[in-house]
């Protein structure tokens, strides 16, 4: 009986099978070298966020948004103290913050645009 099993295995290989093609992969050492090179040229994302947060314009935008949100919540609370706890109050505060940040950005953009125009006119 043992010979019959071996014979069956031998006949299995007689069938024509499509050759299996393996995809070429880069060696792991090369990937590690590339990855290390990236870190040397580019700072960590948290460092970039930290530098961005240190910018004076970002702090002004956050302050304007927070002030507008607090004002919207206070206004809602002045009318109805129970309204402060509602989801509608939070939505209004978010919209007020977004509007204040947008207005401040537009003001900054327009003042920079006019300063650039004035500088070009003086030349």
């Amino acid at each position: 009986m043992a010979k019959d099993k071996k014979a069956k295995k031998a006949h299995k290989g007689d069938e024509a099978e499509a050759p299996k093609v393996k995809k070429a992969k880069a060696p792991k050492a090369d990937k590690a070298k590339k990855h290390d090179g990236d870190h040397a040229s580019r700072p960590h994302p948290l460092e970039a966020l930290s530098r961005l947060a240190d910018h004076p314009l970002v702090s002004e935008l956050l302050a304007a948004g927070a002030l507008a949100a607090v004002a919207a919540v206070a206004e809602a609370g002045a009318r109805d103290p129970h309204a402060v706890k509602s989801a509608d109050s939070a939505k209004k505060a978010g919209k007020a913050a977004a509007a204040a940040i947008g207005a401040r950005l537009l003001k900054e953009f327009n003042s920079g645009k006019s300063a650039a125009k004035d500088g070009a006119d003086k030349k």
Side-chain angles (χ1 to χ4, degrees):
M1 269 194 157
K3 288 185 179 181
D4 289 338
K5 286 184 180 178
K6 288 182 181 177
K8 286 182 183 178
K9 288 182 181 176
H11 290 296
K12 228 178 195 180
D14 292 340
E15 297 173 2
E17 292 184 19
K20 294 182 180 178
V21 180
K22 293 184 178 181
K23 293 181 180 178
K25 294 183 179 178
K28 290 183 180 180
D30 290 346
K31 286 183 180 178
K33 287 179 185 175
K34 276 186 179 178
H35 193 64
D36 289 342
D38 269 351
H39 281 295
S41 63
R42 184 174 46 173
H44 192 272
L46 291 177
E47 291 175 25
L49 282 175
S50 174
R51 277 192 256 134
L52 181 65
D54 288 341
H55 196 279
L57 179 61
V58 173
S59 62
E60 286 182 32
L61 291 173
L62 288 174
L67 184 62
V70 168
V73 170
E75 184 179 330
R79 292 185 201 143
D80 181 17
H82 297 290
V84 175
K85 297 178 184 177
S86 71
D88 189 47
S89 175
K91 286 180 185 178
K92 286 180 181 177
K95 287 179 182 179
I101 290 171
R104 179 65 181 95
L105 277 174
L106 282 174
K107 181 180 173 185
E108 186 70 25
F109 179 74
N110 289 334
S111 68
K113 201 174 180 180
S114 63
K117 188 176 179 181
D118 291 343
D121 289 345
K122 289 182 181 180
K123 287 182 180 181

